[in-house]
Amino acid sequence: MRSFKYSLFLLLACLACSPSEVVYEEYIPDYSLQEKAVASLLKKHPIEIVVHRGANHLAPENTFAAAAKAIELGVDYVEIDVHRSLDGVHYIMHDLGLGRTTDGWGPIRLRTSEYIDKLDAGSWFGEAYAGEKVPRLEEYLRWIKGKAKAYLDVKTADLEEVVRLVRKYNMEDETFFWFWSDSMLEEFSVLAPELRVKINAHSVEEVMEAKEKYDADIIECNVQEITPEMVQLCDSLGIQIMAYASSNTAEEFKTVIKSEADLVNLDKPGLYLEVLQAMQGL
């Protein structure tokens, strides 16, 4: 029975992908971005800030609103997740399914852009964000260019199209990438050897493997795993270290700030700034 329901859903989705008269209207919110005073603390801060799914504690994750909140705090990168719709449009969303963060349902890969573009991706977080849309990747890159850089966690995609968009908006030096599978990474490396990739590595041995096997530009690990030996090796190989903030507590942020990480991937940029401000005695 479950197999029949899935087959029926796939059939309906394919039928919905047939040509229609619907004309897509571009969605790029006109946010009046006001940089917070504390953002100035990051300008001379040696560790670049990567905000996971945008400022997801202040606005709905993976939306323009979450990115805007992060930009106002002066972050360096906004991390986004990339999925492809049934008809080949790339969107920013974390989950495989639409149900958790929108008023839609079903796998995003089996939904058309016409369906996804109508969804509300903000009401689940709060009434103030009702009507927030699921961002299309192309519109998002065009909007964020010059405001912040982007870290793309690519989950399902036409890699040629993703590379085309990054090059179209001249963001080769303003992006880096991570992939769900080795096969996607291998394909990407052939398509765009100039674009930077991140690999998870938790030891000196894994750092060596990341460089030899994947030519990694950035490795990500827990802050406790950043040893003098790892720092020395990464320096010699031209690899940056990104600390992953797993708990996003003040104590963890203190450890990150004292570490030799080049970047930090976190969820609470506001708290990080508070800790940084306190440690600088301001």
Side-chain angles (χ1 to χ4, degrees), residues 206-218:
E206 290 183 5
V207 170
M208 283 299 303
E209 181 182 5
K211 189 63 177 180
E212 293 172 357
K213 189 174 181 180
Y214 305 107
D215 195 21
D217 300 283
I218 300 168

Side-chain angles (χ1 to χ4, degrees), residues 260-273:
E260 294 189 69
D262 300 291
L263 308 92
V264 57
N265 186 8
L266 50 79
D267 287 295
K268 295 182 177 180
L271 178 58
Y272 187 90
L273 278 166

Side-chain angles (χ1 to χ4, degrees), residues 109-165:
R109 66 184 177 85
L110 296 181
R111 287 298 194 183
T112 65
S113 57
E114 181 181 346
Y115 179 87
I116 297 167
D117 289 333
K118 295 175 181 177
L119 298 180
D120 181 337
S123 291
W124 69 273
F125 189 89
E127 291 183 8
Y129 297 100
E132 191 76 24
K133 302 296 184 182
V134 181
R136 288 188 175 207
L137 176 62
E138 178 164 11
E139 293 173 349
Y140 189 95
L141 293 179
R142 185 161 69 249
W143 172 81
I144 205 169
K145 170 74 176 179
K147 301 179 180 73
K149 294 175 280 189
Y151 161 31
L152 286 74
D153 181 339
V154 183
K155 300 185 183 307
T156 59
D158 175 345
L159 294 182
E160 287 190 18
E161 175 63 9
V162 172
V163 170
R164 185 189 72 81
L165 292 176

Side-chain angles (χ1 to χ4, degrees), residues 82 103 157 172 180 206 230:
V82 178
D103 57 351
E172 294 94 333
W180 264 18
E206 290 183 5
M230 179 181 283

Side-chain angles (χ1 to χ4, degrees), residues 15 18 26 30 53 64 66 69 77 89 94 105 112 134 141-142 163-164 184 195 211-212 258-259 263 266 274 277:
L15 290 173
S18 59
E26 183 180 76
D30 184 20
R53 306 182 204 172
F64 283 105
K69 294 288 186 183
Y77 288 88
V89 177
H94 178 269
W105 65 278
T112 65
V134 181
L141 293 179
R142 185 161 69 249
V163 170
R164 185 189 72 81
M184 290 181 73
L195 298 182
K211 189 63 177 180
E212 293 172 357
K258 293 176 182 177
S259 77
L263 308 92
L266 50 79
E274 289 178 15
Q277 187 174 32

Side-chain angles (χ1 to χ4, degrees), residues 28-194:
I28 300 181
D30 184 20
Y31 290 116
S32 177
L33 299 176
Q34 301 294 324
E35 188 175 83
K36 307 298 183 186
V38 289
S40 62
L41 295 177
L42 297 183
K43 297 192 186 304
K44 295 182 179 180
H45 182 51
I47 302 176
E48 291 191 292
I49 310 302
V50 182
V51 182
H52 187 228
R53 306 182 204 172
N56 64 72
H57 282 69
L58 304 175
E61 66 179 62
N62 274 326
T63 61
F64 283 105
K69 294 288 186 183
I71 290 165
E72 289 183 327
L73 291 171
V75 307
D76 299 282
Y77 288 88
V78 179
E79 185 264 356
I80 54 176
D81 302 282
V82 178
H83 279 287
R84 183 177 181 268
S85 70
L86 181 63
D87 53 340
V89 177
H90 291 87
Y91 287 91
I92 296 172
M93 176 169 287
H94 178 269
D95 297 1
L96 291 170
L98 295 162
R100 182 176 65 86
T101 58
T102 77
D103 57 351
W105 65 278
I108 189 169
R109 66 184 177 85
L110 296 181
R111 287 298 194 183
T112 65
S113 57
E114 181 181 346
Y115 179 87
I116 297 167
D117 289 333
K118 295 175 181 177
L119 298 180
D120 181 337
S123 291
W124 69 273
F125 189 89
E127 291 183 8
Y129 297 100
E132 191 76 24
K133 302 296 184 182
V134 181
R136 288 188 175 207
L137 176 62
E138 178 164 11
E139 293 173 349
Y140 189 95
L141 293 179
R142 185 161 69 249
W143 172 81
I144 205 169
K145 170 74 176 179
K147 301 179 180 73
K149 294 175 280 189
Y151 161 31
L152 286 74
D153 181 339
V154 183
K155 300 185 183 307
T156 59
D158 175 345
L159 294 182
E160 287 190 18
E161 175 63 9
V162 172
V163 170
R164 185 189 72 81
L165 292 176
V166 169
R167 288 173 174 162
K168 178 180 178 179
Y169 295 106
N170 299 311
M171 294 189 70
E172 294 94 333
D173 297 328
E174 301 167 42
T175 52
F176 66 91
F177 299 79
W178 187 78
F179 300 92
W180 264 18
S181 69
D182 285 356
S183 61
M184 290 181 73
L185 173 56
E186 290 166 5
E187 180 184 351
F188 182 82
S189 297
V190 172
L191 286 170
E194 80 279 12

